[in-house]
Amino acid sequence: MASKLADELLKEILAPPLLVPDELFADTGEVSPFSRATYSAADALLVCKRWMRVATPALYETVIIRSTAQAQALAFALKHNPEFGRYIKKLRIEGAFGAHLGKIAPFAPNITDFCFSLALYADANVNGLVKLMVALDPVRVLLTTAPSKAVKNKGHSEVLNTLCTRIPKWTKFRTFHYSSSYCGAKQWPYCTECDIYPEIALALAQSSSLRAVHLWLQSAIGIPSSAHLALAGNTMIVDFYVDAGFVLDGSHLQRFPGTMRSKLRLVRQKAESGDTGAPLSNPFYIPLNNTTAGTRATIWSRILSHA
């Protein structure tokens, strides 16, 4: 019966098991959701040549690389089938994985979402990752699986410097996610990557295309950090999404700079009581805060007139 189905219908049937949910791709926790994978979605392509032809675009739409062997296999596949690279929209890399990553970018011009980790240690070969970052112009960038302590080595510094150099140059760049995992550096208790690497915030502050930043709070107390002050200086950013390992309320917003508070969008983590994690209201929010007072007055007058 499957042989009688149109390609378009067969594609719709095969796509669900091949497509990676965005909540998994964009997971920024300390443990990768893909570390528990028990099967390969590519198995569906082995049924027959027709299934392989129809389902290949869905398979390549989201690519997850967790080993050097996977990076090498992808580079080999794209070298011999360069058209496959055009299907890649989301790329998640959980390591460095040598020079193979640098061979991917020329074949994948349509990558919009790029997720990677700064947990790069002294033995990591970052040459390919650096070449990839230079070649990309992503819309969304996410940091994931933060290191358990502050990392300082040549490879890590090279990747961090490349990220900070590229951020102001990316023209399609709209959204940035800090990792939500905890960095246990002794000199920065209860800190996140936003605190440990303030140079990232300085780079984000220079981006003219950036519109949204996703932040993570590890502590309910404190004063505005240098990173938060830098981010607040970018007037092009419209939304700051704040998540935490505790239930947020309005009092926690005091640790953010005043110019940043009206742009905060609170996202509450699930509490032990079974909280659903619904977004919280922001007492500092000002509707239409990006417009002039006169424009706001005109818009509200018309709304009230119609009401």
Side-chain angles (χ1 to χ4, degrees), residues 141 149 175 194:
V141 176
K149 59 181 179 180
T175 305
C194 185

Side-chain angles (χ1 to χ4, degrees), residues 2-287:
S3 61
K4 297 181 180 180
L5 295 175
D7 283 359
E8 293 78 8
L9 183 56
L10 182 60
K11 179 181 178 181
E12 293 300 317
I13 295 173
L14 295 176
L18 295 175
L19 297 177
V20 178
D22 189 69
E23 58 265 27
L24 294 184
F25 170 84
D27 186 288
T28 58
E30 59 184 347
V31 178
S32 168
F34 302 100
S35 63
R36 300 180 291 273
T38 58
Y39 72 95
S40 172
D43 291 345
L45 276 66
L46 302 178
V47 174
C48 64
K49 291 183 178 180
R50 185 181 180 222
W51 280 35
M52 178 176 289
R53 173 177 56 80
V54 172
T56 292
L59 176 69
Y60 278 87
E61 182 172 319
T62 302
V63 174
I64 314 297
I65 298 179
R66 304 194 66 248
S67 69
T68 301
Q70 290 178 339
Q72 184 177 8
L74 178 62
F76 180 85
L78 296 183
K79 179 180 179 180
H80 291 83
N81 302 277
E83 68 276 9
F84 290 175
R86 296 195 298 270
Y87 301 139
I88 302 176
K89 302 294 179 60
K90 298 180 179 180
L91 178 62
R92 179 181 174 114
I93 300 172
E94 300 182 1
F97 309 135
H100 306 296
L101 294 178
K103 302 175 183 178
I104 296 173
F107 301 103
N110 300 321
I111 295 175
T112 58
D113 298 69
F114 179 53
C115 180
F116 72 106
S117 173
L118 288 176
L120 303 169
Y121 300 99
D123 59 346
N125 180 350
V126 302
N127 294 337
L129 178 57
V130 169
K131 289 182 180 179
L132 177 64
M133 294 171 66
V134 171
L136 293 179
D137 189 6
V139 175
R140 181 174 62 156
V141 176
L142 309 96
L143 297 180
T144 187
T145 55
S148 58
K149 59 181 179 180
V151 178
K152 290 186 179 297
N153 60 65
K154 182 179 179 181
H156 176 273
S157 297
E158 188 174 357
V159 171
L160 182 61
N161 291 339
T162 301
L163 173 64
C164 294
T165 300
R166 296 305 302 169
I167 283 176
K169 297 179 180 180
W170 284 332
T171 59
K172 300 177 182 177
F173 186 41
R174 293 293 182 272
T175 305
F176 183 82
H177 291 244
Y178 280 100
S179 174
S180 61
S181 42
Y182 167 62
C183 302
K186 293 182 180 179
Q187 62 269 46
W188 298 293
Y190 306 108
C191 61
T192 63
E193 283 182 317
C194 185
D195 304 307
I196 291 183
Y197 305 118
E199 55 264 56
I200 297 179
L202 291 174
L204 294 173
Q206 299 176 44
S207 173
S208 60
S209 61
L210 183 62
R211 296 295 181 268
V213 176
H214 292 248
L215 300 164
W216 177 263
L217 280 185
Q218 192 62 42
S219 173
I221 59 176
I223 60 176
S225 65
S226 60
H228 290 164
L229 291 171
L231 290 171
N234 188 340
T235 58
M236 303 304 294
I237 300 177
V238 177
D239 298 303
F240 292 98
Y241 294 92
V242 182
D243 210 335
F246 51 88
V247 178
L248 288 165
D249 60 41
S251 64
H252 301 139
L253 304 185
Q254 301 294 338
R255 68 171 298 177
F256 292 96
T259 55
M260 193 176 179
R261 292 174 190 167
S262 64
K263 301 179 181 180
L264 296 178
R265 309 290 179 259
L266 307 188
V267 181
R268 180 172 50 205
Q269 288 291 84
K270 292 184 179 180
E272 293 181 359
S273 60
D275 197 301
T276 59
L280 291 173
S281 60
N282 179 359
F284 296 99
Y285 175 66
I286 302 174

